[in-house]
Amino acid sequence: MEAVVWETGSVNDTIYYVVGAIVLLCLVAVAGLAIKKRGERRRPEIPTTPKPPAIEGPEGEAEEALAPDAAGAVQAEVREPETGEAESGEADLAEVEPEEITAAPIEAPESVPSRMQRLRARLARSGGFGNALLKILSRGDLSPADWEEIEDTLLMADVGLEATTQIMDNLKKRTKVEGTRDPERVKAILREELLELIDPAADRSLHLERIDGDPASILMVGVNGTGKTTTVGKLARVLVAEGSRVLLGAADTFRAAAADQLQTWGERVGVDVVRSDREGADPASVAFDAIDKGRETDVDVVLVDTAGRLQNKSGLMDELGKIKRVMSKRVPVNEVLLVLDATTGQNGMRQAEVFAEVTGITGIVLTKLDGTAKGGIVISVQRELGVPVKFVGLGEGVDDLAPFDAEGFVDALTA
Ligand SMILES: Nc1nc2c(ncn2[C@@H]2O[C@H](COP(=O)(O)OP(=O)(O)OP(=O)(O)O)[C@@H](O)[C@H]2O)c(=O)[nH]1
């Protein structure tokens, strides 16, 4: 009986040993698998080299050349080790737990020479009256009817009556004195006359010096739809590219969408926007807040966008006057830029005069020159308002704003 018991005990023990060994083997195998899996999961990824920022131009040529697969945005994935692990002695690269950081999209303006070249070409295509003039001039001996046709061409191009009369008188006088009928020479004289009127020596720079550590400020005014908000965005982009810290103030509270539009520009350019979420909020108080935030955050320039329409004109003018007064209590208003739509021609002039009277403008931004053959507006607007055109807008693209260059403009106009 005992032997049987012993034998039964011995068999049972053997079974226990075998089962125990199997369980042990399974445990070892499972542990092995787990360690292998962990090792695979922790293998570091090779950091992706960030692509250069894409340059966004309206025609996309530069964009294609520099960043064929990223329309204006750079998504750089950088993987870095977790500091906790490094500190706990597991700094071995193979054990680093990667952390994903996605860089914010970056936009950089098109280079200045490339922008200027493109803008000149566009201006020559759309704004010139050179061909029409050359056709008349190449007739040789100019009859009174031909002279009249030249005069009409200038008037049609919005050069303005006074300036056109001056140009015609000088042109007739000089060709007579020189005794020339050569169309190229007559055209060259006309070019000189136009340039003289546009005044190549005028100071067209923005004066954005900071005084006593306060930011400089720019107030943007003009009739609705002329391109104020777009110009604020484009200008901010130019200033940021030049290394300035910029803040935008959405004092166009007449339309909530205007503040949204400005905010979108702010995001594109990477600058903050001070706005009110309430449609019809007091624009002067938004401008005031923008200036205060600009001082607090130590920016270089605060750019304030305004509304171009109200229930009535005098209301709008009172409002603009108040915005300027409120801003200038805090910081100097360095520039008041009047945005004028070149396609409105002489009709825009009267409105421009009213704005100029109320806000004391320091410069003109002439937008939409790409959509008109009336480039002569530059001459009339400067003459009427007595301030220089500082920038021209030649399209809806982000880089379609160029500092005004008198020589280049006259060349394009008479090309
Ligand atoms: N072709 C062309 N379009 C332009 C130019 N500048 C602005 N625009 C367009 O003009 C339209 C009006 O521009 P906005 O910037 O909204 O004009 P705004 O003066 O701020 O208008 P409000 O907010 O109503 O006062 C938009 O479609 C712009 O894209 C330019 O230089 N050329």
Side-chain angles (χ1 to χ4, degrees):
M1 188 66 185
E2 268 179 22
V4 171
V5 171
W6 182 87
E7 271 177 28
T8 309
S10 167
V11 167
N12 282 347
D13 282 354
T14 308
I15 289 168
Y16 291 148
Y17 287 139
V18 169
V19 169
I22 290 169
V23 168
L24 205 66
L25 273 172
C26 284
L27 282 173
V28 168
V30 167
L33 267 174
I35 289 166
K36 190 170 175 248
K37 247 186 154 178
R38 188 163 183 251
E40 274 173 7
R41 190 162 53 87
R42 293 200 166 187
R43 197 163 296 142
E45 285 179 29
I46 297 164
T48 316
T49 310
K51 293 173 198 148
I55 293 172
E56 191 183 298
E59 272 121 25
E61 310 121 31
E63 199 175 280
E64 273 162 34
L66 281 170
D69 57 350
V74 177
Q75 294 282 328
E77 280 189 0
V78 181
R79 294 177 181 270
E80 289 183 349
E82 261 181 23
T83 45
E85 281 190 358
E87 276 162 15
S88 65
E90 289 183 71
D92 177 19
L93 268 182
E95 290 296 305
V96 165
E97 194 75 54
E99 185 186 314
E100 198 172 289
I101 297 171
T102 306
I106 301 164
E107 278 194 16
E110 187 179 351
S111 75
V112 171
S114 146
R115 186 164 22 133
M116 295 304 285
Q117 204 175 5
R118 187 167 54 77
L119 295 179
R120 258 183 220 152
R122 185 175 295 181
L123 188 60
R125 273 203 309 272
S126 62
F129 46 77
N131 274 344
L133 285 173
L134 200 61
K135 228 191 262 170
I136 308 166
L137 296 171
S138 56
R139 290 174 198 157
D141 263 346
L142 295 175
S143 66
D146 293 330
W147 283 113
E148 221 166 275
E149 218 176 309
I150 296 174
E151 191 169 350
D152 287 347
T153 308
L154 294 175
L155 285 172
M156 295 279 283
D158 271 334
V159 172
L161 185 59
E162 219 180 283
T164 300
T165 310
Q166 185 181 323
I167 292 171
M168 292 308 294
D169 287 351
N170 288 348
L171 196 60
K172 283 179 190 165
K173 225 183 284 166
R174 289 181 63 185
T175 49
K176 202 169 169 187
V177 170
E178 287 187 26
T180 183
R181 293 174 190 170
D182 174 14
E184 282 303 329
R185 179 62 198 138
V186 181
K187 198 171 147 189
I189 297 174
L190 177 64
R191 183 190 178 281
E192 284 169 22
E193 292 296 325
L194 285 166
L195 195 58
E196 170 93 18
L197 280 173
I198 289 177
D199 189 3
D203 178 10
R204 300 177 195 275
S205 56
L206 288 181
H207 295 279
L208 300 176
E209 300 79 22
R210 295 180 65 175
I211 297 169
D212 299 333
D214 281 334
S217 71
I218 304 177
L219 181 62
M220 204 66 88
V221 300
V223 180
N224 63 296
T226 49
K228 282 184 305 297
T229 308
T230 310
T231 303
V232 169
K234 290 174 181 174
L235 192 54
R237 186 170 157 89
V238 171
L239 294 171
V240 167
E242 287 173 2
S244 294
R245 281 159 299 160
V246 177
L247 178 78
L248 306 181
D252 179 355
T253 57
F254 190 77
R255 247 177 359 110
D260 294 341
Q261 195 187 337
L262 197 68
Q263 185 131 24
T264 305
W265 271 104
E267 282 158 16
R268 288 179 101 163
V269 181
V271 301
D272 285 342
V273 178
V274 171
R275 59 175 291 179
S276 166
D277 288 328
R278 198 166 52 81
E279 202 166 77
D282 179 13
S285 97
V286 176
F288 186 83
D289 289 348
I291 295 294
D292 264 3
K293 169 125 194 245
R295 294 172 87 191
E296 250 171 62
T297 53
D298 192 30
V299 299
D300 299 306
V301 188
V302 180
L303 255 160
V304 176
D305 186 25
T306 61
R309 102 189 93 186
L310 267 189
Q311 272 71 16
N312 60 66
K313 198 176 72 190
S314 67
L316 173 63
M317 294 306 146
D318 288 349
E319 183 178 288
L320 289 177
K322 184 174 162 196
I323 293 173
K324 193 179 171 199
R325 276 195 309 280
V326 160
M327 283 170 68
S328 51
K329 271 187 192 151
R330 293 292 230 219
V331 296
V333 180
N334 303 58
E335 297 277 350
V336 180
L337 298 179
L338 173 73
V339 181
L340 204 60
D341 177 346
T343 63
T344 58
Q346 296 295 320
N347 291 339
M349 290 300 304
R350 183 65 212 123
Q351 295 166 336
E353 279 164 15
V354 178
F355 276 91
E357 265 165 42
V358 174
T359 54
I361 59 174
T362 58
I364 299 156
V365 181
L366 203 55
T367 58
K368 310 190 192 180
L369 264 179
D370 52 307
T372 175
K374 295 172 180 281
I377 187 82
V378 170
I379 296 174
S380 41
V381 76
Q382 287 192 160
R383 241 179 127 87
E384 299 284 331
L385 304 179
V387 285
V389 171
K390 294 194 170 179
F391 289 91
V392 286
L394 290 158
E396 297 187 75
V398 285
D399 287 327
D400 287 341
L401 182 77
F404 182 72
D405 157 37
E407 301 247 359
F409 182 74
V410 173
D411 284 343
L413 213 56
T414 54

